[in-house]
Amino acid sequence: MKKLLVAALCTVAFLGQAQTNTHLLDHYRAYYKQMKVQGDSDGIINGLTHLVVLAPKQAQAYKDTLAMVYMSEGKHVQALNTIGIEPNTSDSDIAVEVKAISLKAINETNRALVHFEELFARTPDPSIAYELAELYLQTGNLENANTYITYGLENVKPAMGKMYYESQQPYQVALKSGFLYLKALATFNENKATNINAAIAILEDAIQQSPNFNLAKLSKNALLNQQQEQKTPKE
């Protein structure tokens, strides 16, 4: 009789716990939905964190979304802590994108390249090609950089744009101009002694297409100054 009573109490406790978890899950789903409506990023993060704990079967999807929110808020370390940094063939497109962008943001260039390559393999796109070309230039891999620059120039659409943030006021230029800027950098780095004129000509093309391209103008002026220094006889 005592064993039956204990078993009955355990069953009641289990059902009570299940009802509590269901109630909490419903609550945080509604809470998360409302935070999205309000545009409250802290609330969204809080809601998703609870859903990760309360819904193990859906935890990975919630983690991916949570990491994306962290990334969009500039919290790249938190984003990576949520989903990890290692490549995984089972990763969602969101997870791969978060890993790529967040690793780039914290200057883990080589690790970021792995994930950008995976993104490009899944969905070839000029915007991803730009990221790859830029990162390969940073690592000094001109061959791979030129491969993605060529792809970008051949596949970019007129409506595609690229944001730049080096000035106090962020601005957008045509993505094609962005690829021309990278092409100028690659050309110059192939031979810094002989390719200044060629690099300047490419930058002028980029500026002609996007007159507000401040970074290209700065690079052109730097090359012109270097060119002038080379022509000035040393005393």
Side-chain angles (χ1 to χ4, degrees):
M1 185 66 180
K2 185 181 291 186
K3 291 182 180 180
L4 289 173
L5 179 60
V6 170
L9 290 173
C10 288
T11 300
V12 170
F14 176 79
L15 291 173
Q17 181 65 35
Q19 289 176 350
T20 300
N21 286 344
T22 300
H23 175 74
L24 284 173
L25 191 56
D26 289 341
H27 166 75
Y28 279 107
R29 280 175 176 158
Y31 174 84
Y32 167 57
K33 184 177 180 179
Q34 184 60 35
M35 291 300 101
K36 286 175 65 179
V37 171
Q38 295 175 200
D40 186 333
S41 58
D42 289 337
I44 291 171
I45 289 170
N46 184 34
L48 284 169
T49 301
H50 280 88
L51 290 174
V52 167
V53 175
L54 293 168
K57 292 183 179 179
Q58 299 171 273
Q60 191 57 56
Y62 285 131
K63 281 184 178 181
D64 290 351
T65 306
L66 176 58
M68 177 66 80
V69 175
Y70 274 133
M71 184 193 75
S72 67
E73 291 295 307
K75 299 178 179 180
H76 298 288
V77 172
Q78 291 91 329
L80 294 169
N81 285 341
T82 301
I83 58 173
I85 64 173
E86 297 302 324
N88 191 327
T89 55
S90 64
D91 278 344
S92 67
D93 290 348
I94 290 176
V96 179
E97 181 180 354
V98 169
K99 289 178 182 180
I101 293 174
S102 293
L103 285 166
K104 178 187 176 184
I106 63 172
N107 297 315
E108 288 285 350
T109 303
N110 289 320
R111 284 189 168 128
L113 274 167
V114 174
H115 297 291
F116 276 117
E117 287 281 13
E118 175 63 21
L119 273 180
F120 189 82
R122 294 185 183 193
T123 309
D125 178 85
S127 296
I128 302 172
Y130 183 95
E131 299 290 342
L132 284 161
E134 184 178 50
L135 290 173
Y136 277 123
L137 278 173
Q138 290 177 16
T139 64
N141 190 330
L142 296 180
E143 182 178 357
N144 282 357
N146 280 321
T147 295
Y148 287 108
I149 291 169
T150 299
Y151 172 89
L153 289 171
E154 290 177 351
N155 292 277
V156 70
K157 301 293 188 297
M160 293 179 175
K162 170 66 182 174
M163 292 295 299
Y164 289 88
Y165 301 91
E166 87 285 347
S167 62
Q168 289 185 343
Q169 183 66 39
Y171 61 96
Q172 180 173 290
V173 305
L175 183 55
K176 183 176 181 181
S177 296
F179 277 113
L180 288 171
Y181 166 73
L182 295 183
K183 183 177 180 181
L185 295 184
T187 299
F188 175 67
N189 282 285
E190 284 170 2
N191 193 320
K192 295 180 180 180
T194 63
N195 287 1
I196 291 182
N197 285 336
I200 290 173
I202 298 170
L203 287 171
E204 288 175 343
D205 190 7
I207 295 167
Q208 183 177 10
Q209 295 188 37
S210 298
N212 65 324
F213 200 167
N214 182 65
L215 185 57
K217 293 176 183 177
L218 292 174
S219 299
K220 177 188 172 183
N221 289 336
L223 290 179
L224 287 171
N225 290 336
Q226 185 171 332
Q227 188 180 58
Q228 188 59 39
E229 290 175 2
Q230 290 179 353
K231 291 179 179 179
T232 303
K234 296 181 180 180
E235 296 182 358

